[in-house]
Every structure is written in structure tokens, then in C-alpha cells.
Amino acid sequence: YFHSKDWQYGYEKLIPEIKKIEKNYSKIIVSNKAPLDQSYMFFLFYLKYPPSSYQIETAESSSGGFRESHKFAKFEFRPINWDNELKDSNVLYIGRPNDFSNKVKIIKTIDYLDNSPAIKIVQGSD
């Protein structure tokens, strides 16, 4: 309860919400900035994405070593800079509460155990 922010809490609740609506979007951009760092691993796990598919996709786009962004299927994991995003209605954004302006269309907020906002699901159009 007191330290859910430190344990990357929220993915187990987030992924079922994404599964319900992902078909409505051509692209899903997910923040990978702390505390959502390494978010792609949680998506791979909770989506039960086939490891063989991920290995093929990343082999085609990998330059070796550490990468700031990851991609698989329609998911792209990278920092979100809301001022510079295209904000297309076919794009779903998943990020930290401070990744977005106050004028976004919030689809769902996943809260930490103390009820403070952890992750926001936002539609791309303003």
C-alpha cells in the first residue's frame, strides 16, 4: 500500500483495459520513463505475446545494446512529450499523469494502492 509507486504497480490492471480497446487504435504509444521504465517487459508478459514473434520483430529493428525505445505489434515504448505528439485519434497513449496536458481525453486512470494516479490511458485527439 505505502510503496506501490516503487514497485511499478498498475500493469496487471492496465493490460486488461488495453485489451478491451486496442482494436480501435492503429498505434499504442507507452511511456518508458520512470516509474514506467521497462514497460515493454510488462506488456509482453501480461499480453502473453509470443517470445518468438518479439525476437523476430526486435532483431529486425535492433542495432544492438541498450535502446531507449522498443516496438512490437502496434505498441511503441518511448518517452512521451505531449507538446510534440501528433495527437491522432487513431493513437492511444499510455503514460504517467504528468506526461499529458490537462486538456486530454482520459479513457481510464489506473491508481496506486493509495488512490493516487499511477497510469493514464489517453486518446490521441485533443
Side-chain angles (χ1 to χ4, degrees):
Y1 174 87
F2 294 105
H3 301 286
S4 59
K5 293 177 185 177
D6 300 324
W7 289 94
Q8 296 177 310
Y9 179 84
Y11 290 107
E12 188 174 6
K13 293 183 178 191
L14 172 68
I15 302 302
E17 297 296 327
I18 300 305
K19 284 182 169 182
K20 292 179 198 174
I21 60 174
E22 73 173 307
K23 66 182 177 292
N24 301 327
Y25 299 92
S26 60
K27 184 185 234 181
I28 300 173
I29 297 174
V30 183
S31 174
N32 64 359
K33 289 294 193 185
L36 300 179
D37 45 329
Q38 306 299 318
S39 54
Y40 74 97
M41 290 188 287
F42 293 94
F43 274 76
L44 290 167
F45 177 77
Y46 287 114
L47 289 171
K48 296 177 175 41
Y49 198 76
S52 58
S53 297
Y54 178 71
Q55 290 168 346
I56 291 168
E57 290 176 46
T58 57
E60 295 171 354
S61 65
S62 179
S63 60
F66 178 79
R67 296 189 322 247
E68 185 173 351
S69 65
H70 290 267
K71 295 180 185 180
F72 68 88
K74 63 170 71 177
F75 295 91
E76 183 177 334
F77 301 84
R78 61 171 176 76
I80 294 174
N81 182 336
W82 193 247
D83 292 335
N84 296 334
E85 298 294 340
L86 294 176
K87 301 175 187 82
D88 184 336
S89 62
N90 291 319
V91 177
L92 187 68
Y93 292 89
I94 300 164
R96 307 167 303 169
N98 61 346
D99 283 330
F100 307 106
S101 74
N102 292 331
K103 298 178 182 179
V104 295
K105 181 178 179 183
I106 300 169
I107 296 173
K108 179 89 174 172
T109 300
I110 306 297
D111 291 331
Y112 290 116
L113 293 173
D114 67 0
N115 293 322
S116 63
I119 304 169
K120 291 193 180 224
I121 304 170
V122 171
Q123 185 170 320
S125 62
D126 278 337

